[in-house]
Amino acid sequence: MAEEIAAPRQILPPPAERYTWLGWIQKNLFSTWYNSLLTFITLGLAYALLKPFLTWLLEQANWEVVEVNFRLLMVGQYPPDEIWRIWLLLYLLAAVVGLSWGVWVRGRLALALGLLLAPLLLALLPIATPSARLNLVAMDLVAVAASRMGRLGGPSLRRFAAWSWVIYLVLVILVVRGFALTPEVMPRVPTNLWGGLLLTCLLTVVGIVFSFPLGILLALGRRSSLPAIRAVSVVYIEVIRGVPLVTILFMAAVMVPFFLPSGITIDRVLRAMVGITLFSAAYLAENVRGGLQAVPHGQFEAASALGLSGFKTMTRIILPQALRIVIPVLMGQFIALFKDTTLVVTIGLLELLGIARAVLAQPQYVSYQREVYLFVAAIFWVISYLMSYISQRLESVLGVGER
Amino acid sequence: MEETLEPNNLTPQSSSRDDQPIIVCRDVHKWYGNFQALQGVSMEVNKGEVIVIFGPSGSGKSTFIRTLNRLEEHQRGQIIVDGIELTHDVRNIEQVRMETGMVFQQFNLFPHLTVLQNITLAPLHVRKWPKDKAEEVATQLLVRVGIPEQADKYPGQLSGGQQQRVAIARALAMQPKIMLFDEPTSALDPEMIKEVLDVMIELAHTGMTMLVVTHEMGFARGVANRMFFFDQGQIVESGTPQQIFSNPQEDRTRLFLSQILTH
């Protein structure tokens, strides 16, 4: 008996749970006769439902409408002579993304390959022109080179990589708009020519970049101990949240000019950007407030006991934890903002969906609704999914729920 | 040594270490709404003394220790810490907080920072030390509390006892003159209590002024200079551990001690 106890305990391996995929099919789809029956019924139903769609997609769909209007859908009426600017920005984007990847993400070969394959797949699309193909491949090379650089530099490049994003965002506006150094070099492109996916992306990016800090300030304001600041924040949040975005956009488009002295006009696109930012900030404020409330009170106490000032406590202790908690909600809000940009069509701006409808309004394309809308939907889905994916990665990198 | 304290009538301490008490509280009152948590608490603590505060839950002992670094605001009376009176003056409060370290029942480590970052945060941002110095001090403190190998882990990866030792190191990194412990072992599993108490005993032997709210009577017997029994927001009895344990004067003290010492 005593010997038995003294003997070293055998550590058992966990039971193996590996199947071949045939085994998986058998276990999950055909384990009993009624499960087999259900499997066949489901397959039959799926086939019946998808067949018309698939036949249309593979045999009848005519993508010529997208091909012909591709530039319009991407950049609206942006002057063809200036489209190189958009390419330039895409190249820079590839460089910044590549650099950030090399500095922060590293490893994850499969993911990196996926990211690299995306432009190549785009290049393979039948609607791409030869020069676009060349550009996409070259962009991939830029991204690889940048990530290589980021990898070599490692953590020492972190600050640089973060700043490169800030500089990039400023450059985007400058380059798209043009700064008219001389009439020939980088002439102004008036905003009524901006359109398509370009406008959608600009509205989204500007909306996110400005509504995020504003939302944080409002959330802090709502928790402030100063009654005036608290009142202003509460009123702002509740008023904006009680009004549909369309109303705010209309106000920005129709009402604002009334209040300005004659002769002064504010650009329409700028007004839409401000409207979207103000709208989104109210929602973000409430999301961030939720995160602030989730941080235990002991964190404030520990920070105070150490002698940290209120500002340092907020920026070093509370906000990093609060924002991490609300990453999924924030990203949800950003995705909603991205899709809400379609509403600017009501004030006469032609973003992606607006352009699509303008294209379909032409008599020769009336019968191509399915192709055009499917194309637009696919673009929205890809970008939304990308945002959602970034959010997941961010969560796992920051260890949400683990520490 | 005459140890009994009357409110508003403080007998000067015949301390052998230093003539000036480092903490002076006179007739401290504190209300939460209509509930009076502290009803005229007076206490003087000398440099290097180890004070144990005990009493039933709700007796105001935690509230009292938290008024000493203004985590709780007292509404009447006077609190002077290291010559600085705690008033609404924010500079005074910051000054006092720099001189007092605090250890909490729930550790309250910053979960998004590594152990090393937890310890260096306040020295870097409050004391404005250069990074090298802050990290050197932090590393030494981690050796002192016995977990130098955990510097780069996050609090969530440590056991409760290890977390509390990091919390002690974090408080010590500011090089405080006074350490406040608010039930430091109450949230710990029994086998981890000892490792935290060992660190506190070592700290007591270095001459740190310590105020400890605890029911660890072994610790009190071993290192406390004086003990204060709190009940219903008042100091019921105080004295050396020997006086308290062998000859308590008040019935309430006797009853409480019999409850926590015999079960």
Side-chain angles (χ1 to χ4, degrees):
Chain A
M1 198 63 193
E3 278 158 33
E4 237 171 277
I5 292 168
R9 221 157 55 88
Q10 196 86 48
I11 296 171
L12 297 173
E17 275 200 45
R18 256 184 248 119
Y19 322 108
T20 59
W21 65 273
L22 256 173
W24 185 92
I25 287 178
Q26 198 188 1
K27 179 169 190 284
N28 291 286
L29 300 177
F30 299 101
S31 53
T32 58
W33 67 267
Y34 51 87
N35 274 349
S36 309
L37 191 65
L38 276 174
T39 301
F40 281 123
I41 292 175
T42 314
L43 279 177
L45 266 175
Y47 177 73
L49 287 172
L50 282 175
K51 187 177 177 260
F53 175 70
L54 288 176
T55 16
W56 171 80
L57 189 69
L58 297 174
E59 289 165 19
Q60 293 157 11
N62 183 349
W63 297 99
E64 196 194 323
V65 55
V66 174
E67 220 176 310
V68 172
N69 295 295
F70 189 72
R71 187 167 55 77
L72 213 52
L73 287 165
M74 290 299 109
V75 297
Q77 292 175 298
Y78 204 82
D81 288 346
E82 304 295 335
I83 285 195
W84 62 270
R85 297 190 199 176
I86 312 299
W87 280 113
L88 174 71
L89 289 173
L90 286 175
Y91 272 104
L92 286 174
L93 182 66
V96 176
V97 169
L99 179 70
S100 306
W101 186 279
V103 172
W104 281 298
V105 189
R106 322 191 113 197
R108 298 191 191 284
L109 191 65
L111 268 175
L113 284 176
L115 205 71
L116 285 177
L117 279 177
L120 293 180
L121 280 178
L122 285 179
L124 284 178
L125 279 185
I127 48 175
T129 61
S131 76
R133 284 193 181 128
L134 208 64
N135 272 321
L136 285 165
V137 173
M139 231 182 273
D140 246 15
L141 295 178
V142 170
V144 171
S147 80
R148 198 73 219 141
M149 197 178 103
R151 235 185 135 75
L152 290 176
S156 61
L157 280 176
R158 265 182 205 170
R159 193 165 290 239
F160 177 70
W163 274 107
S164 72
W165 277 103
V166 176
I167 294 166
Y168 178 74
L169 291 174
V170 176
L171 267 181
V172 167
I173 299 295
L174 274 181
V175 171
V176 170
R177 188 160 175 265
F179 36 79
L181 214 54
T182 64
E184 290 84 40
V185 182
M186 299 288 271
R188 283 276 165 85
V189 177
T191 54
N192 57 11
L193 297 181
W194 302 8
L197 184 60
L198 172 68
L199 182 59
T200 302
C201 289
L202 284 175
L203 290 172
T204 308
V205 170
V206 169
I208 290 174
V209 168
F210 288 96
S211 67
F212 185 50
L214 188 60
I216 291 176
L217 285 180
L218 283 166
L220 295 177
R222 191 163 187 169
R223 282 168 59 100
S224 166
S225 52
L226 303 171
I229 292 179
R230 197 169 54 233
V232 169
S233 306
V234 170
V235 168
Y236 177 88
I237 292 169
E238 295 306 335
V239 166
I240 298 279
R241 286 207 308 168
V243 175
L245 176 57
V246 180
T247 322
I248 293 175
L249 290 173
F250 266 128
M251 295 269 278
V254 184
M255 301 288 280
V256 170
F258 277 123
F259 298 110
L260 293 173
S262 60
I264 295 182
T265 53
I266 301 181
D267 186 88
R268 262 192 326 165
V269 170
L270 183 62
R271 272 183 276 164
M273 283 172 173
V274 171
I276 288 171
T277 301
L278 295 181
F279 180 79
S280 177
Y283 283 86
L284 284 176
E286 287 298 272
N287 294 341
V288 172
R289 191 166 69 96
L292 289 173
Q293 277 168 352
V295 177
H297 194 64
Q299 296 288 309
F300 286 93
E301 290 185 344
S304 310
L306 285 169
L308 288 173
S309 66
F311 180 75
K312 284 266 164 69
T313 303
M314 215 21 108
T315 53
R316 297 272 162 185
I317 306 297
I318 308 301
L319 273 180
Q321 295 184 55
L323 292 179
R324 201 144 63 160
I325 294 168
V326 295
I327 286 174
V329 209
L330 288 185
M331 205 44 103
Q333 180 61 35
F334 290 153
I335 290 173
L337 187 156
F338 168 61
K339 293 185 293 183
D340 280 350
T341 57
T342 49
L343 290 172
V344 298
V345 78
T346 54
I347 58 168
L349 295 178
L350 294 179
E351 44 63 69
L352 183 55
L353 188 61
I355 290 275
R357 289 163 81 173
V359 166
L360 290 172
Q362 301 170 54
Q364 71 266 40
Y365 297 127
V366 172
S367 56
Y368 291 106
Q369 293 206 357
R370 278 184 283 202
E371 285 86 348
V372 173
Y373 282 132
L374 192 65
F375 177 72
V376 170
I379 291 182
F380 271 103
W381 181 79
V382 166
I383 296 180
S384 297
Y385 184 75
L386 198 67
M387 289 163 84
S388 158
Y389 182 77
I390 290 171
S391 153
Q392 288 169 28
R393 288 253 52 85
L394 212 59
E395 276 176 56
S396 76
V397 167
L398 295 175
V400 173
E402 286 164 29
R403 56 184 188 234
Chain B
M1 212 163 39
E2 177 61 49
E3 294 285 356
T4 42
L5 293 170
E6 300 290 326
N8 288 326
N9 180 21
L10 293 162
T11 48
Q13 299 292 313
S14 55
S15 169
S16 56
R17 295 167 211 252
D18 211 334
D19 12 357
Q20 280 296 313
I22 194 164
I23 298 175
V24 178
C25 303
R26 293 196 189 102
D27 194 26
V28 173
H29 292 256
K30 161 86 190 167
W31 285 264
Y32 291 112
N34 287 327
F35 174 73
Q36 186 163 11
L38 295 177
Q39 307 184 22
V41 174
S42 296
M43 186 187 290
E44 285 194 1
V45 178
N46 293 313
K47 276 198 187 114
E49 266 194 306
V50 176
I51 304 289
V52 162
I53 297 169
F54 68 110
S57 78
S59 61
K61 53 195 193 306
S62 278
T63 306
F64 171 69
I65 202 173
R66 289 153 63 90
T67 57
L68 296 180
N69 64 351
R70 198 91 169 169
L71 285 184
E72 303 287 351
E73 198 177 306
H74 61 285
Q75 285 130 340
R76 237 174 68 192
Q78 203 179 22
I79 298 177
I80 301 168
V81 178
D82 196 28
I84 305 159
E85 181 168 5
L86 280 169
T87 59
H88 286 285
D89 190 331
V90 181
R91 276 166 306 173
N92 282 5
I93 296 172
E94 279 176 4
Q95 201 68 40
V96 166
R97 283 177 177 167
M98 278 172 76
E99 304 304 336
T100 53
M102 188 161 205
V103 176
F104 300 87
Q105 182 178 358
Q106 299 294 341
F107 327 138
N108 293 349
L109 291 176
F110 306 129
H112 61 300
L113 301 177
T114 64
V115 165
L116 194 72
Q117 288 169 331
N118 262 280
I119 301 174
T120 55
L121 184 82
L124 285 175
H125 292 285
V126 182
R127 290 246 189 250
K128 311 277 181 203
W129 287 355
K131 202 173 177 197
D132 299 348
K133 183 183 176 190
E135 287 187 349
E136 198 190 313
V137 169
T139 313
Q140 285 167 2
L141 282 168
L142 280 175
V143 172
R144 193 166 155 196
V145 300
I147 39 175
E149 71 283 358
Q150 313 284 9
D152 294 320
K153 289 200 181 161
Y154 286 88
Q157 297 166 305
L158 305 184
S159 73
Q162 290 173 328
Q163 289 192 46
Q164 194 60 301
R165 286 187 280 162
V166 172
I168 294 173
R170 178 177 69 176
L172 288 175
M174 285 293 280
Q175 303 188 331
K177 293 180 181 160
I178 303 160
M179 284 287 284
L180 308 173
F181 293 83
D182 188 2
E183 306 210 28
T185 56
S186 301
L188 294 175
D189 290 338
E191 76 269 26
M192 291 170 184
I193 291 177
K194 185 177 175 296
E195 64 188 51
V196 171
L197 288 180
D198 284 346
V199 171
M200 290 168 63
I201 291 168
E202 187 263 342
L203 190 60
H205 289 319
T206 63
M208 173 68 76
T209 309
M210 292 165 70
L211 278 84
V212 186
V213 174
T214 188
H215 292 144
E216 293 296 331
M217 289 301 139
F219 172 79
R221 210 188 290 268
V223 294
N225 297 95
R226 283 186 295 155
M227 296 174 71
F228 287 80
F229 176 61
F230 269 61
D231 193 17
Q232 296 179 351
Q234 289 173 317
I235 296 173
V236 174
E237 185 168 357
S238 66
T240 62
Q242 181 153 28
Q243 288 168 338
I244 296 284
F245 287 122
S246 52
N247 188 20
Q249 300 297 307
E250 300 285 330
D251 287 343
R252 275 188 282 175
T253 318
R254 212 170 293 139
L255 181 66
F256 182 76
L257 282 174
S258 73
Q259 279 167 346
I260 64 167
L261 291 176
T262 60
H263 55 80

